[in-house]
PDB file of all heavy atoms in Angstrom:
ATOM      1  N   GLY A   1       8.667  -4.807   4.951  1.00 98.00           N
ATOM      2  CA  GLY A   1       7.449  -5.330   5.561  1.00 98.00           C
ATOM      3  C   GLY A   1       6.964  -6.600   4.887  1.00 98.00           C
ATOM      4  O   GLY A   1       6.480  -7.533   5.549  1.00 98.00           O
ATOM      5  N   LEU A   2       7.090  -6.654   3.567  1.00 98.00           N
ATOM      6  CA  LEU A   2       6.716  -7.882   2.841  1.00 98.00           C
ATOM      7  C   LEU A   2       7.559  -9.061   3.304  1.00 98.00           C
ATOM      8  O   LEU A   2       7.044 -10.154   3.556  1.00 98.00           O
ATOM      9  CB  LEU A   2       6.900  -7.658   1.338  1.00 98.00           C
ATOM     10  CG  LEU A   2       5.807  -6.851   0.626  1.00 98.00           C
ATOM     11  CD1 LEU A   2       6.329  -6.244  -0.658  1.00 98.00           C
ATOM     12  CD2 LEU A   2       4.604  -7.748   0.345  1.00 98.00           C
ATOM     13  N   GLY A   3       8.862  -8.846   3.425  1.00 98.00           N
ATOM     14  CA  GLY A   3       9.738  -9.923   3.880  1.00 98.00           C
ATOM     15  C   GLY A   3       9.526 -10.268   5.333  1.00 98.00           C
ATOM     16  O   GLY A   3       9.600 -11.441   5.727  1.00 98.00           O
ATOM     17  N   LEU A   4       9.257  -9.259   6.159  1.00 96.00           N
ATOM     18  CA  LEU A   4       9.029  -9.475   7.589  1.00 96.00           C
ATOM     19  C   LEU A   4       7.827 -10.368   7.832  1.00 96.00           C
ATOM     20  O   LEU A   4       7.848 -11.268   8.675  1.00 96.00           O
ATOM     21  CB  LEU A   4       8.838  -8.116   8.275  1.00 96.00           C
ATOM     22  CG  LEU A   4       8.659  -8.089   9.791  1.00 96.00           C
ATOM     23  CD1 LEU A   4       9.926  -8.560  10.491  1.00 96.00           C
ATOM     24  CD2 LEU A   4       8.283  -6.682  10.253  1.00 96.00           C
ATOM     25  N   ALA A   5       6.753 -10.125   7.079  1.00 96.00           N
ATOM     26  CA  ALA A   5       5.518 -10.879   7.289  1.00 96.00           C
ATOM     27  C   ALA A   5       5.516 -12.238   6.604  1.00 96.00           C
ATOM     28  O   ALA A   5       4.943 -13.199   7.117  1.00 96.00           O
ATOM     29  CB  ALA A   5       4.321 -10.060   6.802  1.00 96.00           C
ATOM     30  N   SER A   6       6.177 -12.333   5.432  1.00 96.00           N
ATOM     31  CA  SER A   6       6.097 -13.563   4.644  1.00 96.00           C
ATOM     32  C   SER A   6       7.264 -14.511   4.847  1.00 96.00           C
ATOM     33  O   SER A   6       7.143 -15.712   4.600  1.00 96.00           O
ATOM     34  CB  SER A   6       6.007 -13.214   3.153  1.00 96.00           C
ATOM     35  OG  SER A   6       7.248 -12.689   2.689  1.00 96.00           O
ATOM     36  N   GLY A   7       8.420 -13.963   5.274  1.00 95.00           N
ATOM     37  CA  GLY A   7       9.615 -14.799   5.376  1.00 95.00           C
ATOM     38  C   GLY A   7      10.293 -15.032   4.049  1.00 95.00           C
ATOM     39  O   GLY A   7      11.296 -15.750   3.972  1.00 95.00           O
ATOM     40  N   ARG A   8       9.776 -14.418   2.968  1.00 96.00           N
ATOM     41  CA  ARG A   8      10.385 -14.533   1.641  1.00 96.00           C
ATOM     42  C   ARG A   8      10.957 -13.178   1.230  1.00 96.00           C
ATOM     43  O   ARG A   8      10.367 -12.138   1.541  1.00 96.00           O
ATOM     44  CB  ARG A   8       9.343 -14.961   0.595  1.00 96.00           C
ATOM     45  CG  ARG A   8       8.721 -16.319   0.842  1.00 96.00           C
ATOM     46  CD  ARG A   8       7.830 -16.705  -0.337  1.00 96.00           C
ATOM     47  NE  ARG A   8       6.778 -15.712  -0.557  1.00 96.00           N
ATOM     48  CZ  ARG A   8       5.605 -15.716   0.059  1.00 96.00           C
ATOM     49  NH1 ARG A   8       5.326 -16.655   0.956  1.00 96.00           N
ATOM     50  NH2 ARG A   8       4.695 -14.796  -0.210  1.00 96.00           N
ATOM     51  N   PRO A   9      12.060 -13.153   0.491  1.00 98.00           N
ATOM     52  CA  PRO A   9      12.594 -11.856   0.074  1.00 98.00           C
ATOM     53  C   PRO A   9      11.698 -11.192  -0.954  1.00 98.00           C
ATOM     54  O   PRO A   9      11.224 -11.844  -1.888  1.00 98.00           O
ATOM     55  CB  PRO A   9      13.960 -12.207  -0.520  1.00 98.00           C
ATOM     56  CG  PRO A   9      13.826 -13.638  -0.953  1.00 98.00           C
ATOM     57  CD  PRO A   9      12.889 -14.284   0.029  1.00 98.00           C
ATOM     58  N   ALA A  10      11.431  -9.912  -0.758  1.00 98.00           N
ATOM     59  CA  ALA A  10      10.788  -9.109  -1.790  1.00 98.00           C
ATOM     60  C   ALA A  10      11.878  -8.348  -2.528  1.00 98.00           C
ATOM     61  O   ALA A  10      12.924  -8.034  -1.959  1.00 98.00           O
ATOM     62  CB  ALA A  10       9.773  -8.148  -1.179  1.00 98.00           C
ATOM     63  N   VAL A  11      11.627  -8.053  -3.785  1.00 98.00           N
ATOM     64  CA  VAL A  11      12.551  -7.276  -4.592  1.00 98.00           C
ATOM     65  C   VAL A  11      12.158  -5.804  -4.478  1.00 98.00           C
ATOM     66  O   VAL A  11      10.975  -5.463  -4.565  1.00 98.00           O
ATOM     67  CB  VAL A  11      12.493  -7.703  -6.069  1.00 98.00           C
ATOM     68  CG1 VAL A  11      13.420  -6.847  -6.932  1.00 98.00           C
ATOM     69  CG2 VAL A  11      12.846  -9.178  -6.215  1.00 98.00           C
ATOM     70  N   VAL A  12      13.124  -4.928  -4.263  1.00 98.00           N
ATOM     71  CA  VAL A  12      12.868  -3.493  -4.353  1.00 98.00           C
ATOM     72  C   VAL A  12      13.825  -2.917  -5.383  1.00 98.00           C
ATOM     73  O   VAL A  12      15.026  -3.192  -5.351  1.00 98.00           O
ATOM     74  CB  VAL A  12      13.006  -2.784  -2.988  1.00 98.00           C
ATOM     75  CG1 VAL A  12      14.368  -2.993  -2.362  1.00 98.00           C
ATOM     76  CG2 VAL A  12      12.682  -1.298  -3.122  1.00 98.00           C
ATOM     77  N   VAL A  13      13.287  -2.137  -6.326  1.00 98.00           N
ATOM     78  CA  VAL A  13      14.061  -1.641  -7.464  1.00 98.00           C
ATOM     79  C   VAL A  13      14.076  -0.118  -7.457  1.00 98.00           C
ATOM     80  O   VAL A  13      13.027   0.524  -7.315  1.00 98.00           O
ATOM     81  CB  VAL A  13      13.451  -2.138  -8.797  1.00 98.00           C
ATOM     82  CG1 VAL A  13      14.263  -1.608  -9.973  1.00 98.00           C
ATOM     83  CG2 VAL A  13      13.403  -3.655  -8.834  1.00 98.00           C
ATOM     84  N   THR A  14      15.271   0.470  -7.625  1.00 98.00           N
ATOM     85  CA  THR A  14      15.393   1.915  -7.771  1.00 98.00           C
ATOM     86  C   THR A  14      16.202   2.249  -9.011  1.00 98.00           C
ATOM     87  O   THR A  14      16.918   1.403  -9.552  1.00 98.00           O
ATOM     88  CB  THR A  14      16.102   2.569  -6.564  1.00 98.00           C
ATOM     89  OG1 THR A  14      17.511   2.300  -6.651  1.00 98.00           O
ATOM     90  CG2 THR A  14      15.558   2.072  -5.243  1.00 98.00           C
ATOM     91  N   THR A  15      16.096   3.496  -9.417  1.00 97.00           N
ATOM     92  CA  THR A  15      16.965   3.997 -10.461  1.00 97.00           C
ATOM     93  C   THR A  15      18.309   4.352  -9.844  1.00 97.00           C
ATOM     94  O   THR A  15      18.549   4.093  -8.657  1.00 97.00           O
ATOM     95  CB  THR A  15      16.323   5.204 -11.179  1.00 97.00           C
ATOM     96  OG1 THR A  15      17.075   5.537 -12.343  1.00 97.00           O
ATOM     97  CG2 THR A  15      16.239   6.411 -10.254  1.00 97.00           C
ATOM     98  N   SER A  16      19.186   4.968 -10.619  1.00 96.00           N
ATOM     99  CA  SER A  16      20.546   5.226 -10.145  1.00 96.00           C
ATOM    100  C   SER A  16      20.638   6.529  -9.358  1.00 96.00           C
ATOM    101  O   SER A  16      19.696   7.315  -9.301  1.00 96.00           O
ATOM    102  CB  SER A  16      21.500   5.282 -11.341  1.00 96.00           C
ATOM    103  OG  SER A  16      21.144   6.362 -12.192  1.00 96.00           O
ATOM    104  N   GLY A  17      21.792   6.761  -8.745  1.00 95.00           N
ATOM    105  CA  GLY A  17      22.044   8.004  -8.032  1.00 95.00           C
ATOM    106  C   GLY A  17      21.532   7.978  -6.610  1.00 95.00           C
ATOM    107  O   GLY A  17      21.521   6.936  -5.948  1.00 95.00           O
ATOM    108  N   THR A  18      21.078   9.134  -6.124  1.00 95.00           N
ATOM    109  CA  THR A  18      20.625   9.214  -4.733  1.00 95.00           C
ATOM    110  C   THR A  18      19.397   8.351  -4.486  1.00 95.00           C
ATOM    111  O   THR A  18      19.104   8.015  -3.336  1.00 95.00           O
ATOM    112  CB  THR A  18      20.321  10.664  -4.341  1.00 95.00           C
ATOM    113  OG1 THR A  18      19.358  11.216  -5.246  1.00 95.00           O
ATOM    114  CG2 THR A  18      21.585  11.509  -4.351  1.00 95.00           C
ATOM    115  N   ALA A  19      18.678   7.983  -5.537  1.00 96.00           N
ATOM    116  CA  ALA A  19      17.543   7.063  -5.375  1.00 96.00           C
ATOM    117  C   ALA A  19      18.007   5.756  -4.743  1.00 96.00           C
ATOM    118  O   ALA A  19      17.335   5.189  -3.874  1.00 96.00           O
ATOM    119  CB  ALA A  19      16.889   6.790  -6.728  1.00 96.00           C
ATOM    120  N   ALA A  20      19.171   5.294  -5.185  1.00 97.00           N
ATOM    121  CA  ALA A  20      19.718   4.053  -4.623  1.00 97.00           C
ATOM    122  C   ALA A  20      20.099   4.236  -3.163  1.00 97.00           C
ATOM    123  O   ALA A  20      19.898   3.342  -2.331  1.00 97.00           O
ATOM    124  CB  ALA A  20      20.931   3.613  -5.438  1.00 97.00           C
ATOM    125  N   VAL A  21      20.652   5.407  -2.834  1.00 97.00           N
ATOM    126  CA  VAL A  21      21.085   5.674  -1.462  1.00 97.00           C
ATOM    127  C   VAL A  21      19.910   5.603  -0.483  1.00 97.00           C
ATOM    128  O   VAL A  21      20.070   5.216   0.675  1.00 97.00           O
ATOM    129  CB  VAL A  21      21.768   7.058  -1.383  1.00 97.00           C
ATOM    130  CG1 VAL A  21      22.234   7.365   0.029  1.00 97.00           C
ATOM    131  CG2 VAL A  21      22.947   7.123  -2.352  1.00 97.00           C
ATOM    132  N   GLU A  22      18.710   5.967  -0.949  1.00 97.00           N
ATOM    133  CA  GLU A  22      17.538   6.015  -0.076  1.00 97.00           C
ATOM    134  C   GLU A  22      17.130   4.646   0.470  1.00 97.00           C
ATOM    135  O   GLU A  22      16.348   4.564   1.419  1.00 97.00           O
ATOM    136  CB  GLU A  22      16.346   6.631  -0.826  1.00 97.00           C
ATOM    137  CG  GLU A  22      16.525   8.097  -1.182  1.00 97.00           C
ATOM    138  CD  GLU A  22      16.542   9.004   0.042  1.00 97.00           C
ATOM    139  OE1 GLU A  22      16.061   8.578   1.100  1.00 97.00           O
ATOM    140  OE2 GLU A  22      17.040  10.132  -0.068  1.00 97.00           O
ATOM    141  N   LEU A  23      17.648   3.572  -0.095  1.00 98.00           N
ATOM    142  CA  LEU A  23      17.320   2.226   0.413  1.00 98.00           C
ATOM    143  C   LEU A  23      18.114   1.870   1.675  1.00 98.00           C
ATOM    144  O   LEU A  23      17.793   0.883   2.345  1.00 98.00           O
ATOM    145  CB  LEU A  23      17.599   1.165  -0.650  1.00 98.00           C
ATOM    146  CG  LEU A  23      16.756   1.180  -1.921  1.00 98.00           C
ATOM    147  CD1 LEU A  23      17.127  -0.009  -2.796  1.00 98.00           C
ATOM    148  CD2 LEU A  23      15.267   1.159  -1.600  1.00 98.00           C
ATOM    149  N   HIS A  24      19.127   2.654   1.989  1.00 97.00           N
ATOM    150  CA  HIS A  24      20.053   2.262   3.061  1.00 97.00           C
ATOM    151  C   HIS A  24      19.369   2.009   4.405  1.00 97.00           C
ATOM    152  O   HIS A  24      19.677   1.013   5.073  1.00 97.00           O
ATOM    153  CB  HIS A  24      21.152   3.306   3.197  1.00 97.00           C
ATOM    154  CG  HIS A  24      22.416   2.752   3.763  1.00 97.00           C
ATOM    155  ND1 HIS A  24      23.637   3.363   3.638  1.00 97.00           N
ATOM    156  CD2 HIS A  24      22.668   1.614   4.471  1.00 97.00           C
ATOM    157  CE1 HIS A  24      24.567   2.641   4.230  1.00 97.00           C
ATOM    158  NE2 HIS A  24      24.001   1.585   4.752  1.00 97.00           N
ATOM    159  N   PRO A  25      18.435   2.864   4.868  1.00 97.00           N
ATOM    160  CA  PRO A  25      17.806   2.580   6.168  1.00 97.00           C
ATOM    161  C   PRO A  25      17.105   1.226   6.215  1.00 97.00           C
ATOM    162  O   PRO A  25      17.223   0.486   7.203  1.00 97.00           O
ATOM    163  CB  PRO A  25      16.807   3.736   6.335  1.00 97.00           C
ATOM    164  CG  PRO A  25      17.366   4.835   5.509  1.00 97.00           C
ATOM    165  CD  PRO A  25      17.990   4.166   4.321  1.00 97.00           C
ATOM    166  N   ALA A  26      16.371   0.887   5.162  1.00 98.00           N
ATOM    167  CA  ALA A  26      15.675  -0.404   5.142  1.00 98.00           C
ATOM    168  C   ALA A  26      16.661  -1.564   5.070  1.00 98.00           C
ATOM    169  O   ALA A  26      16.450  -2.620   5.679  1.00 98.00           O
ATOM    170  CB  ALA A  26      14.699  -0.469   3.961  1.00 98.00           C
ATOM    171  N   VAL A  27      17.758  -1.382   4.342  1.00 98.00           N
ATOM    172  CA  VAL A  27      18.784  -2.431   4.249  1.00 98.00           C
ATOM    173  C   VAL A  27      19.428  -2.662   5.610  1.00 98.00           C
ATOM    174  O   VAL A  27      19.658  -3.808   6.025  1.00 98.00           O
ATOM    175  CB  VAL A  27      19.838  -2.063   3.193  1.00 98.00           C
ATOM    176  CG1 VAL A  27      21.039  -2.996   3.268  1.00 98.00           C
ATOM    177  CG2 VAL A  27      19.229  -2.114   1.799  1.00 98.00           C
ATOM    178  N   VAL A  28      19.715  -1.583   6.340  1.00 98.00           N
ATOM    179  CA  VAL A  28      20.307  -1.714   7.673  1.00 98.00           C
ATOM    180  C   VAL A  28      19.363  -2.479   8.598  1.00 98.00           C
ATOM    181  O   VAL A  28      19.777  -3.381   9.341  1.00 98.00           O
ATOM    182  CB  VAL A  28      20.626  -0.322   8.256  1.00 98.00           C
ATOM    183  CG1 VAL A  28      20.934  -0.409   9.739  1.00 98.00           C
ATOM    184  CG2 VAL A  28      21.809   0.298   7.518  1.00 98.00           C
ATOM    185  N   GLU A  29      18.067  -2.141   8.572  1.00 97.00           N
ATOM    186  CA  GLU A  29      17.100  -2.840   9.417  1.00 97.00           C
ATOM    187  C   GLU A  29      17.000  -4.313   9.022  1.00 97.00           C
ATOM    188  O   GLU A  29      16.962  -5.205   9.882  1.00 97.00           O
ATOM    189  CB  GLU A  29      15.726  -2.175   9.301  1.00 97.00           C
ATOM    190  CG  GLU A  29      14.600  -2.895  10.028  1.00 97.00           C
ATOM    191  CD  GLU A  29      14.799  -2.988  11.532  1.00 97.00           C
ATOM    192  OE1 GLU A  29      15.480  -2.106  12.116  1.00 97.00           O
ATOM    193  OE2 GLU A  29      14.279  -3.937  12.136  1.00 97.00           O
ATOM    194  N   ALA A  30      16.961  -4.585   7.715  1.00 97.00           N
ATOM    195  CA  ALA A  30      16.888  -5.977   7.254  1.00 97.00           C
ATOM    196  C   ALA A  30      18.091  -6.784   7.706  1.00 97.00           C
ATOM    197  O   ALA A  30      17.978  -7.959   8.063  1.00 97.00           O
ATOM    198  CB  ALA A  30      16.766  -6.015   5.728  1.00 97.00           C
ATOM    199  N   ASP A  31      19.248  -6.140   7.711  1.00 97.00           N
ATOM    200  CA  ASP A  31      20.466  -6.812   8.164  1.00 97.00           C
ATOM    201  C   ASP A  31      20.357  -7.188   9.641  1.00 97.00           C
ATOM    202  O   ASP A  31      20.515  -8.354  10.014  1.00 97.00           O
ATOM    203  CB  ASP A  31      21.660  -5.900   7.927  1.00 97.00           C
ATOM    204  CG  ASP A  31      22.938  -6.385   8.612  1.00 97.00           C
ATOM    205  OD1 ASP A  31      23.138  -7.613   8.690  1.00 97.00           O
ATOM    206  OD2 ASP A  31      23.719  -5.543   9.065  1.00 97.00           O
ATOM    207  N   LEU A  32      20.072  -6.209  10.484  1.00 95.00           N
ATOM    208  CA  LEU A  32      20.095  -6.446  11.931  1.00 95.00           C
ATOM    209  C   LEU A  32      18.919  -7.288  12.403  1.00 95.00           C
ATOM    210  O   LEU A  32      19.021  -7.985  13.413  1.00 95.00           O
ATOM    211  CB  LEU A  32      20.124  -5.110  12.667  1.00 95.00           C
ATOM    212  CG  LEU A  32      21.387  -4.274  12.421  1.00 95.00           C
ATOM    213  CD1 LEU A  32      21.296  -2.936  13.114  1.00 95.00           C
ATOM    214  CD2 LEU A  32      22.630  -5.026  12.888  1.00 95.00           C
TER     215      LEU A  32
END
């Protein structure tokens, strides 16, 4: 949402493991 509204990339940080996997839906939307 930050990137959608501003046009600038926001950083999102997770720890390792399944926490990282949870970013996949937002990454897919950002791609398309």
Side-chain angles (χ1 to χ4, degrees):
L2 282 158
L4 183 66
S6 70
R8 298 187 302 274
V11 178
V12 57
V13 180
T14 75
T15 190
S16 63
T18 56
V21 180
E22 294 292 340
L23 294 184
H24 206 161
V27 169
V28 167
E29 174 62 28
D31 169 35
L32 296 176

